[in-house]
Amino acid sequence: MTGAGPALSAAAGVVYALILSPIVVVLLLAFSADNFILFPPSGYSLRWFIQLAANGPLLNALLLSAQIAVAVTALSLLIGVPAALALAKGGFRGAEAMKSFFLAPLLLPTLIIGLALLLAFTPLRLTATLPGLALGHMTITLPFVIRMMTTAFAAMPDDIEAAAATLGASPRRVIRRVTLPLAAPGLIACAALSFLLSFDETVISLFLSGPRAATLPVEMVRYVEGRTDPLIAALSMVLIVGTLVIVVLVERLVGVARAFGNERS
Amino acid sequence: MAYLELSGLTKRYRDSVAVDGLSLSVERGESVALLGPSGCGKTTTLRMLAGLVEPNEGVIALDGAEITRTAAHRRNMGYVFQSYALFPHLDVARNIGFGLEERGVARAEREQRVEDALQLVRLQGLGHRRPRELSGGQQQRVALARALVIRPSVLLLDESLSNLDAKLRDAMRHEIREIQRSLAITTLFVTHDQVEALTMCDRIAVMNRGRIAQIGSATDIYERPATRFVATFVGRANMLPAERGADGRLTLWGEALPAAAPSGGEVDVFVRPQRLKLAPAGEPAGADMARVSGHVLNSVFVGDHIEVIVAGPGGQRLTVEIQSGDAPPPDGAEVAVMWRAQDTLVFPREAA
Ligand SMILES: Nc1ncnc2c1ncn2[C@@H]1O[C@H](COP(=O)(O)OP(=O)(O)O)[C@@H](O)[C@H]1O
Ligand SMILES: [Mg+2]
């Protein structure tokens, strides 16, 4: 600690408490034994977790959300990484303009994107389908991947790739053997964040979901509209633990990628 | 036609000309230094040779074949980057073997050649280290081994020693020179350090503002600099404005100079500090000697020699180098400064 006085530490503690307190509330509610949301609960049990395991619509939504997130992540990387490579390394005219263009969706309110997608997808019969929802989420994740990876590629020292070229590696081989391995930590982080962005996405999904197909956040919104029992708290606990697992996994993977030498000494 | 021919090579950037119509011939097995101040276009020249930068004009020919537009990965140039540019995600052996893998050299031969290369740069047993686990000098050797193992047509070294400390630099200088000689590998060596250029290469090309100012042996460059720039950039120099006497002959500090003057225009006189000798005031100059008189301003002990600063009647200064064993004259002493007439060079004033 350098110069942060006790007052500042105390202030930081209060802020943390404020941020974390809703999670504590959810944690306690998830183990409630009551029929309704009552805080603090009058007793504790696992009954809402058991109820959750038998709730068809929510489990289906969870499965759909996971499928969408996997597809969105894979497609965003498949399209976004080559695009970022071209933008960062291609050096063609208009690259700057294209970078701004790809950033634009990130600045647009998701409400507007959702409405526009609904209008565009309805005649194409893409609403309330896995491909439609995945495409919708990619309006968020793809610009994000392109943006992050363009920065990551641009920050890479050019000489290392030039060295590979002088040693006989064709441009394709340079990308495979040098550029991508060096970008591994960025790629892993991008994949994880894409997954979480898609999994968590609510606004666009609300526009594009229907009775046939709803993502987990949409199904959760619908559930709390109709009822007020601690089931949702139990589900939230599951999601929090799942997110933590992903974060720890990414930390580990990025750490491993770094250990393979991407960090400059 | 020489083994490597650069002719009229030009590289322009948006607001500057990095290399300006540069021509250079290098014989097979020869080692040539590109010596010049920072920003004179040395790196750009090397990068054009390696195919990493495309020239706007000019031709590069290797062994009779034009390679001006050949892609970098088809040129077979061994490039040692100033930053070393080792692959941080590969161990030392795979760094060195990279070029062989790209060439499809079979595993057994590859391992043998990597082993030989490690031995050549005296890094045996370090094949499994990561680059960041090596010292700067060791990383430098890996970069050298990696460039040599592909048996390049030309070895290109870009300020390869400038990141090393002085002692290591000396050792590496000799090592690289030895390797270059024993493998008889054609080498272009970029440096802004004249000692490196003078000791490591058969010929030196002194560059200034994207052009070659002079090319020749170390002795040529040092003893017979072709331009004022070369004279002052390589080695230490005294450069003083000369006057013209009534008969058109040159004088310095009011005394006649036994040096031929180019006709017309203002000129400067050039003489190296270590060619100057101090003598008691009033001592006459011998035959074929130049002589001026002044007084000692001060003396500076620089280790292997002493610099004695002598001021003339007009306040202009000459630096005289004497051996550090000799006692310098006291400050303020009247002295004569003498040198052989043949050590005097005369350059037009305006030409840089
Ligand atoms: N990529 C580039 N874009 C613009 N100017 C450049 C670029 N590379 C080099 N230059 C300019 O060209 C000149 C020569 O550079 P360089 O070849 O690196 O010089 P040196 O290696 O002799 O120090 C410098 O003035 C430099 O600013
Ligand atoms: Mg340079």
PDB file of all heavy atoms in Angstrom, chain A residues 159-160 163 165-171 173 177 181-182 259-261 265, chain B residues 47 73 77 81 83 87-89 94 98-99 101-103 130 132 146:
ATOM      1  N   ASP A 159       9.032  -6.843 -35.989  1.00  0.00           N
ATOM      2  CA  ASP A 159      10.284  -7.513 -36.322  1.00  0.00           C
ATOM      3  C   ASP A 159      10.196  -9.025 -36.175  1.00  0.00           C
ATOM      4  O   ASP A 159      10.847  -9.758 -36.919  1.00  0.00           O
ATOM      5  CB  ASP A 159      11.422  -6.986 -35.428  1.00  0.00           C
ATOM      6  CG  ASP A 159      12.009  -5.706 -35.993  1.00  0.00           C
ATOM      7  OD1 ASP A 159      11.553  -5.280 -37.070  1.00  0.00           O
ATOM      8  OD2 ASP A 159      12.908  -5.140 -35.354  1.00  0.00           O
ATOM      9  N   ILE A 160       9.405  -9.487 -35.202  1.00  0.00           N
ATOM     10  CA  ILE A 160       9.342 -10.929 -34.977  1.00  0.00           C
ATOM     11  C   ILE A 160       8.721 -11.618 -36.182  1.00  0.00           C
ATOM     12  O   ILE A 160       9.204 -12.653 -36.652  1.00  0.00           O
ATOM     13  CB  ILE A 160       8.557 -11.225 -33.679  1.00  0.00           C
ATOM     14  CG1 ILE A 160       9.332 -10.643 -32.491  1.00  0.00           C
ATOM     15  CG2 ILE A 160       8.354 -12.717 -33.493  1.00  0.00           C
ATOM     16  CD1 ILE A 160       8.702 -10.913 -31.159  1.00  0.00           C
ATOM     17  N   ALA A 163      11.161 -11.455 -39.042  1.00  0.00           N
ATOM     18  CA  ALA A 163      12.212 -12.466 -38.892  1.00  0.00           C
ATOM     19  C   ALA A 163      11.736 -13.801 -39.454  1.00  0.00           C
ATOM     20  O   ALA A 163      12.472 -14.479 -40.179  1.00  0.00           O
ATOM     21  CB  ALA A 163      12.595 -12.604 -37.421  1.00  0.00           C
ATOM     22  N   ALA A 165       9.597 -14.267 -41.757  1.00  0.00           N
ATOM     23  CA  ALA A 165       9.564 -14.170 -43.220  1.00  0.00           C
ATOM     24  C   ALA A 165      10.961 -14.353 -43.812  1.00  0.00           C
ATOM     25  O   ALA A 165      11.147 -15.123 -44.761  1.00  0.00           O
ATOM     26  CB  ALA A 165       8.971 -12.830 -43.651  1.00  0.00           C
ATOM     27  N   THR A 166      11.951 -13.688 -43.219  1.00  0.00           N
ATOM     28  CA  THR A 166      13.302 -13.831 -43.781  1.00  0.00           C
ATOM     29  C   THR A 166      13.810 -15.267 -43.638  1.00  0.00           C
ATOM     30  O   THR A 166      14.670 -15.700 -44.391  1.00  0.00           O
ATOM     31  CB  THR A 166      14.328 -12.902 -43.098  1.00  0.00           C
ATOM     32  OG1 THR A 166      14.439 -13.265 -41.723  1.00  0.00           O
ATOM     33  CG2 THR A 166      13.919 -11.448 -43.194  1.00  0.00           C
ATOM     34  N   LEU A 167      13.258 -16.006 -42.673  1.00  0.00           N
ATOM     35  CA  LEU A 167      13.702 -17.392 -42.483  1.00  0.00           C
ATOM     36  C   LEU A 167      12.963 -18.354 -43.412  1.00  0.00           C
ATOM     37  O   LEU A 167      13.159 -19.564 -43.330  1.00  0.00           O
ATOM     38  CB  LEU A 167      13.509 -17.804 -41.024  1.00  0.00           C
ATOM     39  CG  LEU A 167      14.460 -17.090 -40.059  1.00  0.00           C
ATOM     40  CD1 LEU A 167      14.035 -17.295 -38.630  1.00  0.00           C
ATOM     41  CD2 LEU A 167      15.885 -17.576 -40.269  1.00  0.00           C
ATOM     42  N   GLY A 168      12.088 -17.818 -44.258  1.00  0.00           N
ATOM     43  CA  GLY A 168      11.471 -18.664 -45.273  1.00  0.00           C
ATOM     44  C   GLY A 168       9.997 -18.951 -45.063  1.00  0.00           C
ATOM     45  O   GLY A 168       9.428 -19.766 -45.786  1.00  0.00           O
ATOM     46  N   ALA A 169       9.362 -18.311 -44.073  1.00  0.00           N
ATOM     47  CA  ALA A 169       7.944 -18.572 -43.835  1.00  0.00           C
ATOM     48  C   ALA A 169       7.089 -17.669 -44.727  1.00  0.00           C
ATOM     49  O   ALA A 169       7.271 -16.452 -44.720  1.00  0.00           O
ATOM     50  CB  ALA A 169       7.607 -18.340 -42.366  1.00  0.00           C
ATOM     51  N   SER A 170       6.171 -18.270 -45.471  1.00  0.00           N
ATOM     52  CA  SER A 170       5.257 -17.490 -46.305  1.00  0.00           C
ATOM     53  C   SER A 170       4.319 -16.705 -45.392  1.00  0.00           C
ATOM     54  O   SER A 170       4.196 -17.033 -44.206  1.00  0.00           O
ATOM     55  CB  SER A 170       4.452 -18.427 -47.192  1.00  0.00           C
ATOM     56  OG  SER A 170       3.616 -19.228 -46.378  1.00  0.00           O
ATOM     57  N   PRO A 171       3.638 -15.676 -45.909  1.00  0.00           N
ATOM     58  CA  PRO A 171       2.745 -14.891 -45.046  1.00  0.00           C
ATOM     59  C   PRO A 171       1.762 -15.758 -44.251  1.00  0.00           C
ATOM     60  O   PRO A 171       1.529 -15.521 -43.068  1.00  0.00           O
ATOM     61  CB  PRO A 171       2.022 -13.992 -46.041  1.00  0.00           C
ATOM     62  CG  PRO A 171       3.010 -13.797 -47.146  1.00  0.00           C
ATOM     63  CD  PRO A 171       3.758 -15.099 -47.253  1.00  0.00           C
ATOM     64  N   ARG A 173       2.184 -18.900 -43.337  1.00  0.00           N
ATOM     65  CA  ARG A 173       2.937 -19.630 -42.312  1.00  0.00           C
ATOM     66  C   ARG A 173       3.335 -18.704 -41.165  1.00  0.00           C
ATOM     67  O   ARG A 173       3.371 -19.129 -40.018  1.00  0.00           O
ATOM     68  CB  ARG A 173       4.199 -20.253 -42.935  1.00  0.00           C
ATOM     69  CG  ARG A 173       3.909 -21.306 -43.986  1.00  0.00           C
ATOM     70  CD  ARG A 173       3.601 -22.634 -43.369  1.00  0.00           C
ATOM     71  NE  ARG A 173       4.679 -23.126 -42.526  1.00  0.00           N
ATOM     72  CZ  ARG A 173       4.526 -24.089 -41.636  1.00  0.00           C
ATOM     73  NH1 ARG A 173       3.343 -24.658 -41.463  1.00  0.00           N
ATOM     74  NH2 ARG A 173       5.557 -24.489 -40.920  1.00  0.00           N
ATOM     75  N   ARG A 177       2.464 -19.724 -37.478  1.00  0.00           N
ATOM     76  CA  ARG A 177       3.541 -20.122 -36.571  1.00  0.00           C
ATOM     77  C   ARG A 177       3.963 -19.024 -35.608  1.00  0.00           C
ATOM     78  O   ARG A 177       4.606 -19.292 -34.601  1.00  0.00           O
ATOM     79  CB  ARG A 177       4.765 -20.580 -37.379  1.00  0.00           C
ATOM     80  CG  ARG A 177       4.521 -21.894 -38.097  1.00  0.00           C
ATOM     81  CD  ARG A 177       5.820 -22.591 -38.375  1.00  0.00           C
ATOM     82  NE  ARG A 177       6.542 -22.956 -37.166  1.00  0.00           N
ATOM     83  CZ  ARG A 177       7.806 -23.345 -37.155  1.00  0.00           C
ATOM     84  NH1 ARG A 177       8.476 -23.386 -38.284  1.00  0.00           N
ATOM     85  NH2 ARG A 177       8.385 -23.682 -36.032  1.00  0.00           N
ATOM     86  N   PRO A 181       0.117 -17.761 -32.377  1.00  0.00           N
ATOM     87  CA  PRO A 181       0.614 -18.202 -31.069  1.00  0.00           C
ATOM     88  C   PRO A 181       0.917 -17.038 -30.131  1.00  0.00           C
ATOM     89  O   PRO A 181       0.640 -17.102 -28.933  1.00  0.00           O
ATOM     90  CB  PRO A 181       1.896 -18.963 -31.412  1.00  0.00           C
ATOM     91  CG  PRO A 181       1.714 -19.411 -32.813  1.00  0.00           C
ATOM     92  CD  PRO A 181       0.876 -18.366 -33.491  1.00  0.00           C
ATOM     93  N   LEU A 182       1.459 -15.945 -30.681  1.00  0.00           N
ATOM     94  CA  LEU A 182       1.775 -14.808 -29.823  1.00  0.00           C
ATOM     95  C   LEU A 182       0.502 -14.115 -29.343  1.00  0.00           C
ATOM     96  O   LEU A 182       0.493 -13.476 -28.297  1.00  0.00           O
ATOM     97  CB  LEU A 182       2.658 -13.804 -30.561  1.00  0.00           C
ATOM     98  CG  LEU A 182       4.092 -14.255 -30.842  1.00  0.00           C
ATOM     99  CD1 LEU A 182       4.902 -13.121 -31.449  1.00  0.00           C
ATOM    100  CD2 LEU A 182       4.755 -14.743 -29.567  1.00  0.00           C
ATOM    101  N   ALA A 259       3.083 -18.142 -20.072  1.00  0.00           N
ATOM    102  CA  ALA A 259       4.245 -18.925 -19.688  1.00  0.00           C
ATOM    103  C   ALA A 259       4.956 -19.464 -20.917  1.00  0.00           C
ATOM    104  O   ALA A 259       6.153 -19.712 -20.906  1.00  0.00           O
ATOM    105  CB  ALA A 259       3.831 -20.075 -18.780  1.00  0.00           C
ATOM    106  N   PHE A 260       4.182 -19.609 -22.025  1.00  0.00           N
ATOM    107  CA  PHE A 260       4.822 -20.069 -23.238  1.00  0.00           C
ATOM    108  C   PHE A 260       5.571 -18.940 -23.925  1.00  0.00           C
ATOM    109  O   PHE A 260       6.021 -19.069 -25.034  1.00  0.00           O
ATOM    110  CB  PHE A 260       3.801 -20.711 -24.187  1.00  0.00           C
ATOM    111  CG  PHE A 260       3.673 -22.180 -23.943  1.00  0.00           C
ATOM    112  CD1 PHE A 260       2.873 -22.659 -22.922  1.00  0.00           C
ATOM    113  CD2 PHE A 260       4.395 -23.082 -24.699  1.00  0.00           C
ATOM    114  CE1 PHE A 260       2.779 -23.997 -22.660  1.00  0.00           C
ATOM    115  CE2 PHE A 260       4.308 -24.435 -24.444  1.00  0.00           C
ATOM    116  CZ  PHE A 260       3.492 -24.904 -23.427  1.00  0.00           C
ATOM    117  N   GLY A 261       5.634 -17.806 -23.262  1.00  0.00           N
ATOM    118  CA  GLY A 261       6.610 -16.817 -23.687  1.00  0.00           C
ATOM    119  C   GLY A 261       6.063 -15.589 -24.341  1.00  0.00           C
ATOM    120  O   GLY A 261       6.809 -14.814 -24.911  1.00  0.00           O
ATOM    121  N   SER A 265      10.154  -9.766 -22.002  1.00  0.00           N
ATOM    122  CA  SER A 265      10.926  -9.566 -20.781  1.00  0.00           C
ATOM    123  C   SER A 265      11.539  -8.173 -20.784  1.00  0.00           C
ATOM    124  O   SER A 265      11.669  -7.551 -21.802  1.00  0.00           O
ATOM    125  CB  SER A 265      12.030 -10.605 -20.701  1.00  0.00           C
ATOM    126  OG  SER A 265      12.720 -10.695 -21.918  1.00  0.00           O
TER     127      SER A 265
ATOM    128  N   ARG B  47      16.555  -3.573 -45.104  1.00  0.00           N
ATOM    129  CA  ARG B  47      15.199  -4.126 -45.218  1.00  0.00           C
ATOM    130  C   ARG B  47      14.807  -4.293 -46.679  1.00  0.00           C
ATOM    131  O   ARG B  47      14.096  -5.229 -47.031  1.00  0.00           O
ATOM    132  CB  ARG B  47      14.198  -3.234 -44.477  1.00  0.00           C
ATOM    133  CG  ARG B  47      14.412  -3.250 -42.972  1.00  0.00           C
ATOM    134  CD  ARG B  47      13.413  -2.372 -42.251  1.00  0.00           C
ATOM    135  NE  ARG B  47      12.159  -3.084 -42.033  1.00  0.00           N
ATOM    136  CZ  ARG B  47      11.893  -3.818 -40.949  1.00  0.00           C
ATOM    137  NH1 ARG B  47      12.795  -3.926 -39.996  1.00  0.00           N
ATOM    138  NH2 ARG B  47      10.751  -4.436 -40.825  1.00  0.00           N
ATOM    139  N   HIS B  73      10.314 -14.253 -48.110  1.00  0.00           N
ATOM    140  CA  HIS B  73      10.535 -15.650 -47.718  1.00  0.00           C
ATOM    141  C   HIS B  73      11.164 -16.486 -48.821  1.00  0.00           C
ATOM    142  O   HIS B  73      11.478 -17.649 -48.610  1.00  0.00           O
ATOM    143  CB  HIS B  73       9.237 -16.284 -47.217  1.00  0.00           C
ATOM    144  CG  HIS B  73       8.173 -16.442 -48.253  1.00  0.00           C
ATOM    145  ND1 HIS B  73       7.405 -15.395 -48.707  1.00  0.00           N
ATOM    146  CD2 HIS B  73       7.754 -17.531 -48.927  1.00  0.00           C
ATOM    147  CE1 HIS B  73       6.549 -15.829 -49.605  1.00  0.00           C
ATOM    148  NE2 HIS B  73       6.733 -17.123 -49.757  1.00  0.00           N
ATOM    149  N   MET B  77      17.865 -14.638 -47.264  1.00  0.00           N
ATOM    150  CA  MET B  77      18.753 -13.670 -46.621  1.00  0.00           C
ATOM    151  C   MET B  77      18.732 -13.940 -45.117  1.00  0.00           C
ATOM    152  O   MET B  77      17.666 -14.117 -44.533  1.00  0.00           O
ATOM    153  CB  MET B  77      18.251 -12.246 -46.861  1.00  0.00           C
ATOM    154  CG  MET B  77      18.213 -11.844 -48.319  1.00  0.00           C
ATOM    155  SD  MET B  77      19.849 -11.313 -48.836  1.00  0.00           S
ATOM    156  CE  MET B  77      19.524 -10.889 -50.549  1.00  0.00           C
ATOM    157  N   PHE B  81      18.229  -8.946 -36.533  1.00  0.00           N
ATOM    158  CA  PHE B  81      17.586  -7.678 -36.214  1.00  0.00           C
ATOM    159  C   PHE B  81      18.248  -7.007 -35.022  1.00  0.00           C
ATOM    160  O   PHE B  81      18.789  -7.681 -34.154  1.00  0.00           O
ATOM    161  CB  PHE B  81      16.101  -7.903 -35.917  1.00  0.00           C
ATOM    162  CG  PHE B  81      15.308  -8.287 -37.127  1.00  0.00           C
ATOM    163  CD1 PHE B  81      15.296  -9.597 -37.577  1.00  0.00           C
ATOM    164  CD2 PHE B  81      14.594  -7.342 -37.834  1.00  0.00           C
ATOM    165  CE1 PHE B  81      14.577  -9.952 -38.700  1.00  0.00           C
ATOM    166  CE2 PHE B  81      13.877  -7.693 -38.957  1.00  0.00           C
ATOM    167  CZ  PHE B  81      13.864  -8.998 -39.398  1.00  0.00           C
ATOM    168  N   SER B  83      16.736  -5.686 -32.635  1.00  0.00           N
ATOM    169  CA  SER B  83      16.018  -6.129 -31.437  1.00  0.00           C
ATOM    170  C   SER B  83      16.133  -7.639 -31.231  1.00  0.00           C
ATOM    171  O   SER B  83      15.489  -8.183 -30.356  1.00  0.00           O
ATOM    172  CB  SER B  83      14.550  -5.757 -31.575  1.00  0.00           C
ATOM    173  OG  SER B  83      14.008  -6.377 -32.727  1.00  0.00           O
ATOM    174  N   PHE B  87      11.771 -15.652 -31.425  1.00  0.00           N
ATOM    175  CA  PHE B  87      10.385 -16.076 -31.207  1.00  0.00           C
ATOM    176  C   PHE B  87      10.223 -16.420 -29.730  1.00  0.00           C
ATOM    177  O   PHE B  87      10.775 -17.426 -29.270  1.00  0.00           O
ATOM    178  CB  PHE B  87      10.050 -17.282 -32.075  1.00  0.00           C
ATOM    179  CG  PHE B  87      10.342 -17.050 -33.533  1.00  0.00           C
ATOM    180  CD1 PHE B  87      11.181 -17.892 -34.231  1.00  0.00           C
ATOM    181  CD2 PHE B  87       9.782 -15.971 -34.213  1.00  0.00           C
ATOM    182  CE1 PHE B  87      11.456 -17.677 -35.571  1.00  0.00           C
ATOM    183  CE2 PHE B  87      10.054 -15.733 -35.539  1.00  0.00           C
ATOM    184  CZ  PHE B  87      10.887 -16.590 -36.229  1.00  0.00           C
ATOM    185  N   PRO B  88       9.473 -15.623 -28.972  1.00  0.00           N
ATOM    186  CA  PRO B  88       9.431 -15.833 -27.517  1.00  0.00           C
ATOM    187  C   PRO B  88       8.724 -17.127 -27.134  1.00  0.00           C
ATOM    188  O   PRO B  88       8.936 -17.641 -26.047  1.00  0.00           O
ATOM    189  CB  PRO B  88       8.660 -14.611 -27.007  1.00  0.00           C
ATOM    190  CG  PRO B  88       7.926 -14.076 -28.181  1.00  0.00           C
ATOM    191  CD  PRO B  88       8.688 -14.465 -29.399  1.00  0.00           C
ATOM    192  N   HIS B  89       7.878 -17.655 -28.043  1.00  0.00           N
ATOM    193  CA  HIS B  89       7.108 -18.847 -27.682  1.00  0.00           C
ATOM    194  C   HIS B  89       7.828 -20.130 -28.049  1.00  0.00           C
ATOM    195  O   HIS B  89       7.305 -21.217 -27.829  1.00  0.00           O
ATOM    196  CB  HIS B  89       5.736 -18.800 -28.346  1.00  0.00           C
ATOM    197  CG  HIS B  89       5.790 -18.696 -29.848  1.00  0.00           C
ATOM    198  ND1 HIS B  89       6.442 -17.681 -30.502  1.00  0.00           N
ATOM    199  CD2 HIS B  89       5.277 -19.485 -30.806  1.00  0.00           C
ATOM    200  CE1 HIS B  89       6.312 -17.844 -31.802  1.00  0.00           C
ATOM    201  NE2 HIS B  89       5.621 -18.929 -32.024  1.00  0.00           N
ATOM    202  N   ARG B  94      14.359 -24.503 -31.271  1.00  0.00           N
ATOM    203  CA  ARG B  94      13.326 -24.323 -32.296  1.00  0.00           C
ATOM    204  C   ARG B  94      13.424 -22.950 -32.956  1.00  0.00           C
ATOM    205  O   ARG B  94      13.068 -22.791 -34.118  1.00  0.00           O
ATOM    206  CB  ARG B  94      11.939 -24.551 -31.703  1.00  0.00           C
ATOM    207  CG  ARG B  94      11.743 -26.006 -31.299  1.00  0.00           C
ATOM    208  CD  ARG B  94      10.294 -26.391 -31.267  1.00  0.00           C
ATOM    209  NE  ARG B  94       9.670 -26.314 -32.576  1.00  0.00           N
ATOM    210  CZ  ARG B  94       8.346 -26.333 -32.757  1.00  0.00           C
ATOM    211  NH1 ARG B  94       7.557 -26.391 -31.718  1.00  0.00           N
ATOM    212  NH2 ARG B  94       7.839 -26.284 -33.961  1.00  0.00           N
ATOM    213  N   PHE B  98      13.949 -22.907 -36.949  1.00  0.00           N
ATOM    214  CA  PHE B  98      12.746 -22.379 -37.619  1.00  0.00           C
ATOM    215  C   PHE B  98      12.895 -22.366 -39.140  1.00  0.00           C
ATOM    216  O   PHE B  98      12.054 -22.892 -39.873  1.00  0.00           O
ATOM    217  CB  PHE B  98      12.451 -20.966 -37.098  1.00  0.00           C
ATOM    218  CG  PHE B  98      11.121 -20.410 -37.531  1.00  0.00           C
ATOM    219  CD1 PHE B  98      10.016 -20.501 -36.706  1.00  0.00           C
ATOM    220  CD2 PHE B  98      10.973 -19.794 -38.771  1.00  0.00           C
ATOM    221  CE1 PHE B  98       8.783 -19.981 -37.092  1.00  0.00           C
ATOM    222  CE2 PHE B  98       9.745 -19.275 -39.168  1.00  0.00           C
ATOM    223  CZ  PHE B  98       8.649 -19.375 -38.329  1.00  0.00           C
ATOM    224  N   GLY B  99      13.990 -21.785 -39.613  1.00  0.00           N
ATOM    225  CA  GLY B  99      14.204 -21.673 -41.054  1.00  0.00           C
ATOM    226  C   GLY B  99      14.350 -23.034 -41.717  1.00  0.00           C
ATOM    227  O   GLY B  99      13.917 -23.238 -42.856  1.00  0.00           O
ATOM    228  N   GLU B 101      12.926 -25.840 -40.604  1.00  0.00           N
ATOM    229  CA  GLU B 101      11.577 -26.419 -40.651  1.00  0.00           C
ATOM    230  C   GLU B 101      10.816 -25.873 -41.851  1.00  0.00           C
ATOM    231  O   GLU B 101      10.172 -26.622 -42.577  1.00  0.00           O
ATOM    232  CB  GLU B 101      10.810 -26.078 -39.366  1.00  0.00           C
ATOM    233  CG  GLU B 101      11.042 -27.032 -38.229  1.00  0.00           C
ATOM    234  CD  GLU B 101      10.180 -26.671 -37.017  1.00  0.00           C
ATOM    235  OE1 GLU B 101       8.942 -26.687 -37.126  1.00  0.00           O
ATOM    236  OE2 GLU B 101      10.771 -26.376 -35.956  1.00  0.00           O
ATOM    237  N   GLU B 102      10.898 -24.548 -42.054  1.00  0.00           N
ATOM    238  CA  GLU B 102      10.182 -23.940 -43.175  1.00  0.00           C
ATOM    239  C   GLU B 102      10.695 -24.459 -44.506  1.00  0.00           C
ATOM    240  O   GLU B 102       9.977 -24.484 -45.494  1.00  0.00           O
ATOM    241  CB  GLU B 102      10.307 -22.414 -43.132  1.00  0.00           C
ATOM    242  CG  GLU B 102       9.540 -21.768 -41.995  1.00  0.00           C
ATOM    243  CD  GLU B 102       8.066 -22.136 -42.008  1.00  0.00           C
ATOM    244  OE1 GLU B 102       7.442 -22.100 -43.083  1.00  0.00           O
ATOM    245  OE2 GLU B 102       7.528 -22.476 -40.937  1.00  0.00           O
ATOM    246  N   ARG B 103      11.945 -24.889 -44.547  1.00  0.00           N
ATOM    247  CA  ARG B 103      12.510 -25.425 -45.781  1.00  0.00           C
ATOM    248  C   ARG B 103      12.265 -26.921 -45.914  1.00  0.00           C
ATOM    249  O   ARG B 103      12.753 -27.540 -46.858  1.00  0.00           O
ATOM    250  CB  ARG B 103      14.017 -25.153 -45.820  1.00  0.00           C
ATOM    251  CG  ARG B 103      14.344 -23.739 -46.192  1.00  0.00           C
ATOM    252  CD  ARG B 103      15.784 -23.413 -45.845  1.00  0.00           C
ATOM    253  NE  ARG B 103      16.133 -22.093 -46.316  1.00  0.00           N
ATOM    254  CZ  ARG B 103      15.657 -20.960 -45.803  1.00  0.00           C
ATOM    255  NH1 ARG B 103      14.815 -21.012 -44.801  1.00  0.00           N
ATOM    256  NH2 ARG B 103      16.023 -19.797 -46.298  1.00  0.00           N
ATOM    257  N   ARG B 130      14.195 -20.892 -22.967  1.00  0.00           N
ATOM    258  CA  ARG B 130      13.389 -19.902 -23.688  1.00  0.00           C
ATOM    259  C   ARG B 130      14.242 -18.653 -23.900  1.00  0.00           C
ATOM    260  O   ARG B 130      15.107 -18.358 -23.059  1.00  0.00           O
ATOM    261  CB  ARG B 130      12.170 -19.510 -22.858  1.00  0.00           C
ATOM    262  CG  ARG B 130      11.263 -20.640 -22.567  1.00  0.00           C
ATOM    263  CD  ARG B 130      10.128 -20.637 -23.565  1.00  0.00           C
ATOM    264  NE  ARG B 130       9.458 -21.920 -23.491  1.00  0.00           N
ATOM    265  CZ  ARG B 130       8.639 -22.357 -24.402  1.00  0.00           C
ATOM    266  NH1 ARG B 130       8.414 -21.619 -25.468  1.00  0.00           N
ATOM    267  NH2 ARG B 130       8.064 -23.513 -24.285  1.00  0.00           N
ATOM    268  N   ARG B 132      13.739 -15.615 -23.231  1.00  0.00           N
ATOM    269  CA  ARG B 132      13.806 -14.652 -22.126  1.00  0.00           C
ATOM    270  C   ARG B 132      14.594 -15.168 -20.935  1.00  0.00           C
ATOM    271  O   ARG B 132      14.814 -14.451 -19.965  1.00  0.00           O
ATOM    272  CB  ARG B 132      12.404 -14.227 -21.699  1.00  0.00           C
ATOM    273  CG  ARG B 132      11.578 -15.306 -21.067  1.00  0.00           C
ATOM    274  CD  ARG B 132      10.106 -14.914 -21.067  1.00  0.00           C
ATOM    275  NE  ARG B 132       9.280 -16.101 -21.119  1.00  0.00           N
ATOM    276  CZ  ARG B 132       8.801 -16.702 -20.035  1.00  0.00           C
ATOM    277  NH1 ARG B 132       9.051 -16.210 -18.850  1.00  0.00           N
ATOM    278  NH2 ARG B 132       8.068 -17.788 -20.150  1.00  0.00           N
ATOM    279  N   ARG B 146      20.475 -18.440 -35.763  1.00  0.00           N
ATOM    280  CA  ARG B 146      19.238 -18.644 -36.502  1.00  0.00           C
ATOM    281  C   ARG B 146      19.371 -18.151 -37.943  1.00  0.00           C
ATOM    282  O   ARG B 146      18.838 -18.751 -38.873  1.00  0.00           O
ATOM    283  CB  ARG B 146      18.104 -17.891 -35.781  1.00  0.00           C
ATOM    284  CG  ARG B 146      16.743 -18.113 -36.351  1.00  0.00           C
ATOM    285  CD  ARG B 146      15.681 -17.375 -35.562  1.00  0.00           C
ATOM    286  NE  ARG B 146      15.803 -15.923 -35.708  1.00  0.00           N
ATOM    287  CZ  ARG B 146      14.922 -15.054 -35.214  1.00  0.00           C
ATOM    288  NH1 ARG B 146      13.894 -15.481 -34.519  1.00  0.00           N
ATOM    289  NH2 ARG B 146      15.084 -13.765 -35.379  1.00  0.00           N
TER     290      ARG B 146
END
